[in-house]
Amino acid sequence: AANDISPERIHLRAVPDQSVESLREQLRNRGYLSHGIERWFALDPWRSRTFWVELLVVALKAALLIAPFGALTAAGVMLIRNFPLGLLETLQLFVIYAAAMAAATLALVMLVGLLLKVRPELAIETPRALLGIGMAASTMLVALLAIWWYGFGQDPSLLEVALAVAMATLLFIVGTIVVSAALLSFSIHELQRIPTIHQKPRTMPVAAAAAVLVAGLLVLAYATPDAKGSAPPQVATAPTTSRIALIAVDGLTEEIVRSRQDLTEQFVTITRAATIPARSPSERWASVGTGVPATLHGVRAVAGIRLAGGRSVLQSISRWDYALMVIAPALRVAQPQPLPPTVRRRDFVWEILASRNVPAAAVNWWTSEESRTTSLSSVPQSVIFAGAANDPLRVDSAAVGSFFSSIDGIRPRFATMYLPALDVVLNRLDRGRAEELALSLRALDGVAAAIAETRKRGYEVIVAGAPGPGQTGHGVIAASLQLRDASTLYDVAPTILETMGFPASNEMPGRSLAGRAGEPRIASYGTRAGREGATKLDQEYYESLRSLGYIQ
């Protein structure tokens, strides 16, 4: 029998017995949870209201201690991915994620406590077992954050990785301590002492650490500079008399252009162009129209989430973020909406031209706003998409009609429109192979007719095309004038500027395909002077985007 006594049991026998009251007093002095938890063993979980009240109180206290650490991780990631955000949005994100983490922790602790109560064979007999349960529970909380983080679908930056790993590690440590503290009664009942891991008070240090981290997050948010419009730079120009039209056709590839005689016969130049990596069509075509990458123009998504009272629209959101996309809108503390023009921080090239007295017209571009001035006629996408009713060809038809009305009305020297129907038919709607083929041919017929009609009005035409998500083929730049071979769709903006007599900027990674290589550039055309503040949700536009497959 002596051989059956383990060293651990010998150690436990050397520990003086303590009364339950003494242990309870130690818990109270250390700031641990409700002392009523010690009565769990005498209560029937199915008949005792006291059991459920005490379990709820213990789990709630544990949730309130753990939630700030999980919320800090999520809010920090969102702050980096949606930089810049204001102080109000950062605080709102922290509160939303803290509430979600508290709910998850509350449910987890109550589930573990109930499981240990109704399954006596799982009783915790050693501090090691208690610690193991705490670590397992913390692992589950960290796993929830990991799944949420994975839902973004884009590779994180090094700063984001460092922040997330550090905060998740801290969450794991704090969660292990707090969850095992919440379940101390099971260990105390068997050992008649408090395990070593809990010999010192933890509530105040944990709360203080959370307060310091929250303060750090708010300092980072408060230090974030607001995007303000800068004065346009003075530019030495050599205006030309060219009349140029840019037609952007989403879903159009080099292979499709070369397969259609009614397209090839209208172009002098057809050149392959590498597509611009992007998370959404709005990001890609904002890059084409401004000539700068998304890190500068700021457009990332088709639609986003605006927090109540906030100015910023969150564009980078995890697809598993039910707290922000489902619960927050249901509670009316956030609302989904198409991206307003204010998210774009750089001017489109036609806005650059119009601000320098070159008449321009633009129809149906992402994150554009309505404008009717002597130098710029802009018809936003919300007007064109309204009433699309699941019919992409109707969108193209409305865009073409508005395009020619603008041309005939103000006779601009530069005109542009964006046609999405081909991309929607090939990549976003599932209507069967036969119907898809018929609709795509009709869309291409419309594109060819629009190009021909534009040329009849005296314009040289540049067509930019890019394959949609999952579509095979290469990007294309085709033109009715002689251009050099392209390398990327970023070349569109510098080519238009030089053709119209304006220099490209150093912010533009592309090169001009017209004129001489190595033309001088300016540093930047400055930040767009967009209007700040919330805009009303255009529900009809939002539903049109959903019906066309842009929003799932």
Side-chain angles (χ1 to χ4, degrees), residues 148-170:
W148 171 84
W149 195 23
Y150 180 77
F152 283 99
Q154 298 91 31
D155 293 336
S157 64
L158 291 178
L159 175 62
E160 181 182 338
V161 171
L163 172 69
V165 170
M167 293 303 303
T169 302
L170 188 57

Side-chain angles (χ1 to χ4, degrees), residues 364-380:
N364 200 39
W365 279 82
W366 296 95
T367 62
S368 62
E369 58 190 336
E370 189 165 10
S371 176
R372 301 284 184 181
T373 67
T374 56
S375 57
L376 177 62
S377 172
S378 177
V379 181

